[in-house]
Amino acid sequence: QVQLVESGGGLVQVGEALRLSCAVSGRTFSNYVMGWFRQAPGKEREFVAAIRWIGGSTSYADSVKGRFTISRDNAKNTLYLQMNSLKPEDTAVYYCARGRGTNYLSPLSYEYDSWGQGTQVTVSS
């Protein structure tokens, strides 16, 4: 079993940056796809970004492409999401998740089987 713990959320102004972290413990995830999702109040959970742990290939939602960067640190067993040029519409609870597979950078939440508890990001205008 794997445990995922997000951190780094907070309240920022429009245009500012935040870096989210997801510490992974338990069963190794070195050969999995890892992803970030977010959920705003009253909305469905949506895909943000995914990364293939081996090789580092990435995929992004169109809404964050060019502003957000997903990365991982193998030695620290940590997943990151660097968020730049934040907008009010980025306000949400952000979740990291481990994919069921090892290859496909899926944007679908049901393709992920382990989730963190989430961290709140609020962007104020």
Side-chain angles (χ1 to χ4, degrees):
Q1 192 168 354
V2 65
Q3 293 80 43
L4 309 175
V5 179
E6 302 95 337
S7 62
L11 172 64
V12 296
Q13 300 294 314
V14 169
E16 293 185 341
L18 273 177
R19 188 177 78 159
L20 305 183
S21 300
C22 174
V24 184
S25 60
R27 190 175 176 182
T28 180
F29 68 127
S30 60
N31 197 30
Y32 286 96
V33 166
M34 298 293 294
W36 286 98
F37 288 76
R38 66 187 182 187
Q39 187 166 18
K43 294 189 176 182
E44 297 282 323
R45 187 169 297 189
E46 65 172 359
F47 171 75
V48 176
I51 188 168
R52 192 174 295 130
W53 202 262
I54 302 298
S57 298
T58 57
S59 176
Y60 295 92
D62 287 343
S63 59
V64 306
K65 203 171 292 184
R67 299 187 298 123
F68 290 12
T69 302
I70 187 172
S71 63
R72 83 286 191 220
D73 185 321
N74 295 29
K76 295 183 178 180
N77 277 358
T78 302
L79 179 72
Y80 300 102
L81 184 69
Q82 177 67 44
M83 305 185 296
N84 298 330
S85 303
L86 283 161
K87 304 175 181 179
E89 52 264 43
D90 295 319
T91 296
V93 177
Y94 283 71
Y95 300 89
C96 66
R98 188 193 71 177
R100 298 180 188 276
T102 62
N103 189 55
Y104 177 44
L105 297 169
S106 176
L108 303 173
S109 60
Y110 63 77
E111 297 278 4
Y112 294 77
D113 60 3
S114 297
W115 294 81
Q117 83 290 348
T119 186
Q120 176 71 46
V121 172
T122 303
V123 184
S124 173
S125 57

